[in-house]
Amino acid sequence: MAKMIKLVSGDGAEFEVEEEVAFQSKIIKDIVADADDVIPLPTVSSKVLIQVIEYCRKHAAVNSFPLSPSSSAAAAASSSSSISYSKPVSDPALRAWDNEFVKLNNSSLFDIVIAANYLDIEELVDLVLETVADRIKGKQAQEIRRQFNIENDFTPEEEEALRRENSWAFQNN
Amino acid sequence: MVSRFPSSTATATTASSSFFAFLSEDVVLDILAKLESDPRDWARLACVSSRFSSLVRAVCFRSHCSRYLPPDLLPSTAAGAVAWSSLHKLSVCCPGLHHAGVLLEHSDFGLERDIGPHLAPPGPSFSSSSCSSDPRNPPSQALSDVSCWSLFDDLYFDTVYDSSEAQDVACTPIEPSPGDNQPITVGSIAPNRRTKPWAGPTSSHLATGPWTLSRVQGNKLLASRYRNDCLYICDWPGCTHAGEKRKYMLFRGMFKNFKRSRVWKTINDLNKGKIRLACAFCACRETWDLHSAFCLRRVFGFHDDGEPVVRAYVCENGHVSGAWTETPLYD
C-alpha cells in the first residue's frame, strides 16, 4: 500500500494524499524526510489545496506511467527520484489537461500561484504564469487594464507621449 | 527557491482588485519574459501603467537590445528608459513608407526641399530677370542675396532657364501676384500630384525580417569617403511595400557616435537644412536627406521619373530610415 501523507489546510480541513502526489511539492518532500507525516499548511485554504492536490495527482500519475512502453528504465528511475523539472510538459494529453485546469478567473489563478510557490511546485507556478501571459498577448492597453484591474496612472501628457512612441504596435496582423 | 511572493495570504477579493499588485517584480518579469516573441505585446504593456512602462523599458527592452543589437550601439548602463525604448524600436519596427520618405515629392530631384525658403523679389527688376514659369523656383537675383552658398545653388543655376540664352524666343515674364510672396513651405510633404494607392499601412509597424543590424549593410549604402563612419543597417530581407510603379524595400539603422561622424561634418559644412520629416525612432521632428547631401554612393542614381533608387534620412540622434527601389546590391 502506498504511503499516505496528511495535509492540513489553513481552515483545518485534512487531506490524505499518496506520497508521490505530495512529493510534487519540494517543500513537502523535505519536511517529510525530517519529521512526521502530518503537514500543516496554514497559509493555504481548503479550496486552493484541493485544486493543487488535483494538479499534483494528475502529474504524479503521468510521471509514474510514462507514455513510451519501452522506457521502463526511465519509469523506474523517475518513480524513485524526486519528480521535479522545469522543462515544458511534452505529453499532449497532459498539456490538454493543464489547459483545462487553468480555465479559472484571475483571482483563483492568483491563489494557486501563491500556494504553488509556497509549496515549491515549479511546474504549476510556470503553468499559471504562462496562462497569465496568454491573457495579455494580442491585447491593447485598455483591454489589459480591464482584464487585470490595473489603474491607468498616467497623466494625459504621458499617455499621449507613450501612445505616439508605441502606436506602431497597436495593429495586429 | 527564494520566495518571490508575499508571505502573507492575499485574499481572493484583494487579488481580484488588482492581479499584479501583490506580485513582486521578478514574478512580473517572468510573465513579461513569456511575451518576448511578439514585440508589440511589450510595447502595448508599456502603455498600461507606470509600473509596466518602467519595467518594460528598463528591463525588457534593454535585454532585447543587448541580445540583438551590436554592442557599439548600446548606451551606457546609466541610460534612461527612453534610450532603450528608441533602440528597441530601431530593432523591431519598420519606419513605414512615411518615415522612409517614400511619400515625399521627388520629381524635382528634391530641390524644392533643399533650396530654401522663397525670398521676396527685390523690386520691379524682378520681372526681367527670370522667365521661369514655375512660381516655386525663386528668382536668381534673390538667391544672390543669400549669404551662404551651398552645393544646391550650383545645381540650381545649372538647370534654371536663362532668357539671355534664347534671345529670339519670345518670353513673357510672369509678374508675381501678391499671393506669391508667401514663403514656400520647405520640407513639408508636398501634395501628391498623382495619388498613389498604397497597399497596407504607411506608418511605422512591426518589421518583417530579422531584428539585427549590421555594419556591413551600412558600408554598402554610404559613399566611400565615409568608410570610417559606423552605420548599422538592418539585415535583409526586410519589409517590402508595393507602390504604383515599383517596390520599396524599407530599411532602418543607426550611426554609432553620429556627432563624431564624417556624415555629420558634411551636413554641417554644407549647412544643409533639415526637412520636416520626423524620425520614426525618437522625438526628432526633422531629418536630413542623405541622398541630396551626397552621402550615399553615387552609383545609385535616379529612375526616369526622378525618384532616387535609394533614399535615406538621418536625424540628429543618428537614426536612419530609408528605402531601396531595386534589389539591394548585396545579399
Side-chain angles (χ1 to χ4, degrees), chain B residues 156-170:
Chain B
Y156 175 71
F157 282 115
D158 284 344
T159 54
V160 77
Y161 178 74
D162 187 344
S163 60
S164 65
E165 292 176 358
Q167 294 297 329
D168 53 342
V169 174

Side-chain angles (χ1 to χ4, degrees), chain B residues 200-212:
Chain B
T202 55
S203 54
S204 303
H205 51 273
L206 181 68
T208 52
W211 294 335
T212 49

Side-chain angles (χ1 to χ4, degrees), chain B residues 194-198 241-248:
Chain B
R194 308 174 292 277
T195 47
K196 301 181 186 181
W198 295 106
H241 296 253
E244 201 178 81
K245 282 189 187 173
R246 50 187 67 101
K247 289 185 185 166
Y248 298 89

Side-chain angles (χ1 to χ4, degrees), chain B residues 221 236 247-249 251 300 309-310 322-326 328 330:
Chain B
L221 188 67
W236 291 99
K247 289 185 185 166
Y248 298 89
M249 277 74 71
F251 60 84
F300 297 139
V309 167
V310 63
W324 292 96
T325 55
E326 288 174 0
Y330 43 77

